[in-house]
Amino acid sequence: MRLVLLCGGSGTRLRPLSNDIRSKLFLDLLPAPGGGREAMIRRLCRQLDEAGMLSSALFVVRRDQTAMLRRRIAGSGLVIPEPGRRGTYMAAALAAAYLHSVLAADPDEIVCVMPADPLVDETFFRTIARLPDALARSKAKLALIGTVPAQPSDQFGYIVPEDAVPPGGHAAVKRFAEKPAVPVAEELIRAGALWNCGVFAFRLRYLLRSMAERGLPADYGRLQELYERRAADSFDREIAEREPEAIVLRHDGLWRDLGSWASLTDHLGAAVVGPGTITGDSHGSHIVNELHIPIHMIGVSGIIAAAGPDGILVADKAESSRVRDLPPPAGRPMYGEYGWGVRRVIHADATNEGKRTIALATLAPGAVRQMPEEEGKDTLITVLAGEGALLRQDGSVQPLRRGETLLMAGSERYALRSDAGMELIEVHIGGPAHMLEQDNANEPG
């Protein structure tokens, strides 16, 4: 069986720490077994390795997040770059094309597609291991996994089985209900409905046939080329809700969707992550702080205070899901991880020369960074640590060492190469100063 891990994400549900580049999968917030903290994707890889499934895993991730993913999975599994965000159906189709045309997988091989972000325990992977046998015995075309609801919720999808699903068993799927109102969810639970875990298992030929019916090529390269021209849609709508021969397996262990601050804070292992303090009468409140400036909370309960380079959130945890409704941040994220390394903006303002951005950048050993990244802006670069070289368009190479400073015109194209790693402070200046004033005027409130 092949596991396809869907790693796409818009980075909206855990703002301001998550953003379009660094989605929730890559936030180092969960307690790690040996101390410290780890990202959701790192935890998943460790669990897959312990279950003996990591070697069969394929990670589908947006192309601009591949470097971030590779750093956290440490070379485990195959990474399939997704040209754009087109929903879970297209992501699964891309993986199927890769299996078929690149790996020459057997069309009868079982493929299990699942999200990479739920919090689960080892019993979840034992349930996954049951999928091939359940498909064979039931003769079904599609198998899903559902878990017993902890409470009626309008935040999850529900699978309604034909009959009650016994522990460790499965049943035919009767219908689906996507994020129903709480009173409806209560009725569904009384009818034996399970939360939909977003796991789908089928034979490879099943999805290849579906792709052919929709005019999608089974060749990986050709699908990559037309990928962004296709409409986005979910695997649930395109496949699961239309399949009359589907079964659902019941999972009785841990399964949590950490899709909001309210759900994530229950699993942080501490009330304060990062600099800050909370008084004892602030019941059920949490601080998650990536900044060096401490946050102090006094006498307020049920609050999440989350701070990072892209902003500060203070919200009632019960209302924290509304963060998705905030206006999207303007411009480039203040924190980002790229193929060449990491960049964090530490200051932005306006001068007589225009907008000014000051950032700290760390280039990984052997990395080459194409510059300028912001067209029309002059860049002042100072090497803080390490060494490397400036590569000009004319082919000349200028060595760079600690303490060296250079000013590069925004009209000149060049590259920075790091040999054993290099830390920089960079100041970008350019564009009319009134642009920043206009940006600020357009801010809500």
Side-chain angles (χ1 to χ4, degrees), residues 6 15 18 23 53 59 83 87 92 172 200 240 254 257 290 301 304 339 343 366 378 384 399-400 402 433:
L6 304 183
R15 290 169 59 184
S18 63
S23 60
M53 296 181 174
F59 298 83
F200 310 97
L254 174 67
D257 177 12
E290 289 189 330
S301 300
I304 172 64
R343 178 180 185 265
D378 298 340
L384 300 179
L400 295 177
R402 178 182 176 186

Side-chain angles (χ1 to χ4, degrees), residues 124-136:
F124 188 75
F125 301 100
R126 291 202 288 269
T127 305
I128 288 177
R130 291 168 41 215
L131 288 167
D133 181 63
L135 281 170

Side-chain angles (χ1 to χ4, degrees), residues 364-368 417-421:
V368 176
R417 186 187 71 208
S418 167
D419 297 327

Side-chain angles (χ1 to χ4, degrees), residues 216-230:
L216 296 174
D219 180 80
Y220 176 69
R222 288 177 56 207
L223 186 56
Q224 282 266 359
E225 291 173 1
L226 61 81
Y227 197 86
E228 292 187 89
R229 300 198 297 271
R230 302 292 298 199

Side-chain angles (χ1 to χ4, degrees), residues 296-352:
H296 302 292
M297 191 180 294
I298 301 173
V300 286
S301 300
I303 296 295
I304 172 64
D310 283 302
I312 298 172
L313 169 73
V314 179
D316 184 321
K317 286 200 288 187
E319 300 292 331
S320 62
S321 62
R322 291 166 57 187
V323 71
R324 291 175 293 180
D325 302 327
L326 295 176
R332 186 177 179 183
M334 304 289 274
Y335 175 91
E337 295 185 31
Y338 309 91
W340 53 263
V342 177
R343 178 180 185 265
R344 180 189 292 262
V345 174
I346 57 176
H347 183 75
D349 63 5
T351 70
N352 291 334

